[in-house]
């Protein structure tokens, strides 16, 4: 079964096009290093919760939009090797492709799928 890296971040709403440019530069490198697909999702119907929510998780302000993204890999070994190559790839140097958001507030993790239902 595949392996998933998931990300939630707060992007200044005014930086949507910069975020897309950043993704269009970096995301193909994930594919080059073995990812099956990369999905970037711009918050559209993200409710504010009473106890917790996506906004609180990334300390999003009223001027920011929550972004939910994931990378699907064929397996964890491919992901681990691909991520190692990504860290060493000069195309992803933050001075050349700076993040148009506060990376310190991004939450992320690797996930092993345990159940899948398809149509």
């Amino acid at each position: 079964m595949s392996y998933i890296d998931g990300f939630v971040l707060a992007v200044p709403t005014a930086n949507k096009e910069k975020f897309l440019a950043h993704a269009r530069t970096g995301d193909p490198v994930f594919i080059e290093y073995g990812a099956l697909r990369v999905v970037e999702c711009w918050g559209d119907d993200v409710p504010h919760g009473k106890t917790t929510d996506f906004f609180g998780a990334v300390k999003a302000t009223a001027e920011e939009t929550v972004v939910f993204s994931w990378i699907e890999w064929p397996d964890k070994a491919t992901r681990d090797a691909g991520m190692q190559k990504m860290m060493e790839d000069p195309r992803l140097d933050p001075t050349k492709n700076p993040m148009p958001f506060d990376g310190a507030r991004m939450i992320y993790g690797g996930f092993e799928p345990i159940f899948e239902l398809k149509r």
Side-chain angles (χ1 to χ4, degrees), residues 48-99:
H48 287 273
K50 291 182 181 177
T51 304
T52 190
D53 58 27
F54 281 111
F55 296 95
V58 294
K59 298 183 179 177
T61 69
E63 294 79 35
E64 294 176 315
T65 298
V66 173
V67 171
F68 176 67
S69 306
W70 71 91
I71 304 168
E72 181 179 1
W73 301 90
D75 51 53
K76 189 171 189 296
T78 303
R79 178 266 201 164
D80 290 348
M83 287 300 226
Q84 181 63 39
K85 291 175 187 174
M86 297 277 303
M87 296 300 174
E88 299 166 357
D89 194 306
R91 294 173 291 177
L92 300 176
D93 181 337
T95 62
K96 295 177 183 168
N97 186 22
M99 293 187 291

Side-chain angles (χ1 to χ4, degrees), residues 15-71:
N15 285 358
K16 184 175 183 179
E17 291 306 316
K18 288 180 183 177
F19 175 78
L20 284 168
H22 176 77
R24 287 181 179 124
T25 299
D27 290 358
V29 182
F30 286 104
I31 300 296
E32 181 180 328
Y33 290 140
L36 300 173
R37 69 182 181 147
V38 181
V39 179
E40 305 284 1
C41 303
W42 192 257
D44 175 60
D45 185 12
V46 183
H48 287 273
K50 291 182 181 177
T51 304
T52 190
D53 58 27
F54 281 111
F55 296 95
V58 294
K59 298 183 179 177
T61 69
E63 294 79 35
E64 294 176 315
T65 298
V66 173
V67 171
F68 176 67
S69 306
W70 71 91
I71 304 168

